[in-house]
């Protein structure tokens, strides 16, 4: 191999000779590598010495700390549910049916102990309101009294309705076979009205075609809260709009089966329950005459408090998309105070008022005036 000669000129003052170094290529490469390594080491040393440890922000560590905090909260909530459930049941365990106790017993996690939460079992998902009173618990026990893998009792539907009306949701799952559909009542007994939403009846009632024309977005899918026989959904289907109707069987009438027989989508859900839908999925939410009272009440048939009504209205706003329409249809306000409460609550959302009508109910026979409130509101974009 050859060699490389490096000639370095000597300083002028000394007047000496030029400095010469004869190096092989391998030695020269080694010297260059060492020089590069030392310069990088010095740069790293200068960087870490100039920044304090507190100033260094590690996003991975922050994300890990946040996940750990969330896991701690989840574990605490699950332990609280487990503790409260076990504290309610021991003195009643002898009177509860075996199927209910089996469902309520904590179930082991399929992969064993969770490393984040420390849990080994997960409690059952049953509403605490099911254990709120002895009457509700007795009704729940009757609902869960059946022979496993056999036919479900015939009175289960009525028991289910009574439990839902007491906000006992979600109900436990059962291991029995459901029967066939009950005989549907004639349409004349279901309150079907061929004029409503199509031809004008009262000044405070809006027509479907007028509402659809006022929408800033295309209305494709909607939710009808407490829609009864799903007449609203049937009218909207004629206009190419799919509507999900929340339905409760009333006084033994098979409303869910009737709605399904019309080729419409019934959802067994009381208005007091949180809507099982993702945020902003509906173009239209229709709130009928009684839905505001029922949705703001802890149980069906009771006038809801202001706070309960707020929970209902915020959940309605949650499932409505930006630009979507909230249609409050002929809500009956039994007093001026109730009307003002609803009006003030609506104002908090900042909706754009597309239509707003108030009409007096005729023939009340009372000193207090009952008013109908109808409103068509558009959800704004929020930052």
């Amino acid at each position: 191999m050859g060699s490389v000669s490096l000639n370095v000129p000597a300083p002028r003052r000394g007047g000496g000779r030029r400095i010469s170094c004869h190096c092989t290529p391998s030695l020269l490469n080694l010297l260059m590598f060492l020089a590069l390594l030392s310069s990088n080491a010095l740069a790293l040393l200068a960087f870490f010495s100039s920044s304090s440890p507190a100033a260094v922000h590690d996003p991975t560590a922050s994300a890990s700390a946040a996940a750990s905090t969330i896991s701690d909260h989840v574990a605490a909530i699950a332990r609280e549910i487990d503790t409260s459930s076990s504290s309610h049941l021991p003195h009643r365990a002898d009177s509860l049916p075996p199927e209910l106790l089996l469902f309520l017993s904590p179930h082991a996690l399929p992969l064993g102990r969770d490393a984040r939460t420390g849990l080994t079992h997960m409690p059952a998902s049953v509403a605490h309101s099911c254990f709120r009173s002895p009457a509700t618990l007795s009704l729940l026990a009757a609902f869960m009294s059946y022979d496993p893998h056999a036919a479900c009792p015939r009175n289960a539907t009525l028991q289910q309705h009574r439990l839902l009306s007491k906000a006992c949701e979600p109900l436990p799952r059962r291991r029995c076979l459901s029967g066939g559909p009950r005989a549907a009542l004639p349409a004349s007994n279901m309150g079907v009205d061929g004029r409503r939403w199509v031809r004008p009846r009262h000044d405070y009632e809006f027509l479907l075609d007028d509402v659809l024309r006022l929408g800033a977005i295309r209305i494709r899918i909607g939710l009808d809260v407490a829609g009864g026989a799903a007449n609203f959904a049937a009218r909207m289907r004629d206009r190419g709009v799919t509507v999900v109707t929340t339905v409760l069987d009333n006084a033994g009438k098979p409303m869910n089966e009737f709605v399904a027989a019309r080729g419409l989508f019934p959802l067994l859900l009381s208005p007091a329950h949180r809507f099982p839908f993702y945020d902003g999925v509906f173009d239209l939410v229709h709130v009928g005459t009684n839905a505001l009272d029922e949705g703001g009440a802890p149980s069906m048939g009771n006038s809801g408090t202001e706070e309960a009504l707020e929970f209902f209205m915020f959940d309605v706003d949650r499932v409505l998309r930006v630009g979507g329409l909230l249609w409050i249809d002929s809500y009956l306000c039994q007093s001026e105070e109730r009307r003002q409460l609803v009006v003030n609550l609506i104002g908090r959302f900042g909706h754009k008022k597309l239509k707003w009508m108030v009409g007096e109910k005729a023939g009340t026979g009372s000193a207090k005036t009952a008013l109908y409130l109808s409103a068509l509101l558009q959800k704004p974009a929020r930052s």
Side-chain angles (χ1 to χ4, degrees):
M1 297 178 60
S3 63
V4 178
S5 177
L6 294 179
N7 295 321
V8 182
R12 294 184 177 180
R13 288 185 181 180
R17 298 177 303 171
R18 300 169 63 92
I19 302 174
S20 178
C21 174
H22 294 274
C23 305
T24 62
S26 58
L27 181 59
L28 182 60
N29 291 338
L30 180 60
L31 291 174
M32 295 180 64
F33 174 75
L34 292 176
L36 180 62
L37 184 63
S38 60
S39 63
N40 290 339
L42 290 174
L44 288 174
L45 181 62
F47 173 77
F48 284 109
S49 62
S50 61
S51 59
S52 61
V56 179
H57 175 69
D58 187 0
T60 305
S62 301
S64 178
S68 178
T69 302
I70 295 174
S71 298
D72 292 341
H73 285 302
V74 172
I77 293 172
R79 282 191 291 267
E80 178 67 20
I81 294 174
D82 191 24
T83 303
S84 60
S85 299
S86 59
S87 63
H88 282 292
L89 292 179
H91 63 285
R92 303 189 182 108
D94 295 338
S95 60
L96 295 180
E99 285 293 292
L100 180 58
L101 291 175
L102 178 61
F103 183 83
L104 293 177
S105 61
H107 299 278
L109 297 178
L111 300 180
R113 181 180 181 275
D114 183 72
R116 289 185 177 274
T117 62
L119 297 176
T120 57
H121 293 72
M122 185 61 65
S125 176
V126 179
H128 279 206
S129 57
C130 300
F131 308 96
R132 184 172 49 190
S133 66
T136 307
L137 182 60
S138 177
L139 188 61
L140 179 64
F143 177 74
M144 293 298 291
S145 297
Y146 61 90
D147 295 327
H149 311 132
C152 295
R154 292 185 176 273
N155 61 347
T157 302
L158 182 58
Q159 293 172 348
Q160 177 177 263
H161 167 72
R162 294 176 61 188
L163 286 169
L164 294 180
S165 68
K166 297 180 180 294
C168 183
E169 299 177 274
L171 289 173
R173 288 178 174 175
R174 302 195 303 175
R175 299 187 300 169
C176 61
L177 302 174
S178 63
R182 296 169 291 174
L185 296 179
S188 59
N189 293 337
M190 292 295 180
V192 177
D193 190 343
R195 294 178 53 193
R196 193 174 184 187
W197 303 298
V198 180
R199 294 190 296 272
R201 302 187 310 172
H202 306 285
D203 294 338
Y204 52 81
E205 289 185 349
F206 303 152
L207 302 183
L208 284 177
D209 294 333
D210 295 340
V211 169
L212 294 178
R213 279 194 295 266
L214 289 173
I217 61 174
R218 180 188 173 191
I219 306 300
R220 302 162 300 171
I221 183 171
L223 173 66
D224 186 17
V225 183
N231 297 329
F232 179 80
R235 295 298 183 190
M236 294 295 281
R237 179 180 58 181
D238 296 339
R239 289 153 178 81
V241 180
T242 302
V243 173
V244 178
T245 306
T246 66
V247 184
L248 271 181
D249 289 352
N250 187 18
K253 295 180 181 179
M255 301 296 293
N256 281 270
E257 296 173 9
F258 176 78
V259 172
R262 303 178 72 179
L264 302 171
F265 192 108
L267 179 63
L268 181 61
L269 187 74
S270 72
H273 194 276
R274 184 180 190 269
F275 299 123
F277 302 109
Y278 198 73
D279 299 359
V281 295
F282 289 107
D283 305 316
L284 170 71
V285 176
H286 179 258
V287 180
T289 304
N290 301 319
L292 286 180
D293 284 336
E294 295 172 351
S299 61
M300 297 286 289
N302 298 328
S303 179
T305 63
E306 181 178 357
E307 292 77 12
L309 184 59
E310 285 183 356
F311 279 109
F312 172 75
M313 289 296 293
F314 273 89
D315 203 31
V316 169
D317 182 79
R318 177 185 63 83
V319 299
L320 185 64
R321 65 176 292 193
V322 173
L325 300 180
L326 170 58
W327 184 353
I328 299 177
D329 191 2
S330 305
Y331 170 58
L332 179 60
C333 307
Q334 298 293 345
S335 64
E336 174 61 24
E337 292 77 11
R338 183 67 176 180
R339 186 195 70 83
Q340 193 61 44
L341 186 151
V342 174
V343 170
N344 292 339
L345 178 58
I346 292 174
R348 298 180 187 177
F349 294 93
H351 292 142
K352 181 180 179 181
K353 295 181 180 179
L354 303 180
K355 291 178 73 71
W356 187 279
M357 292 292 296
V358 176
E360 183 176 343
K361 182 179 180 181
T364 57
S366 174
K368 293 185 177 180
T369 302
L371 300 174
Y372 281 105
L373 171 64
S374 292
L376 183 64
L377 311 169
Q378 186 178 46
K379 182 177 178 178
R382 305 185 182 109
S383 57

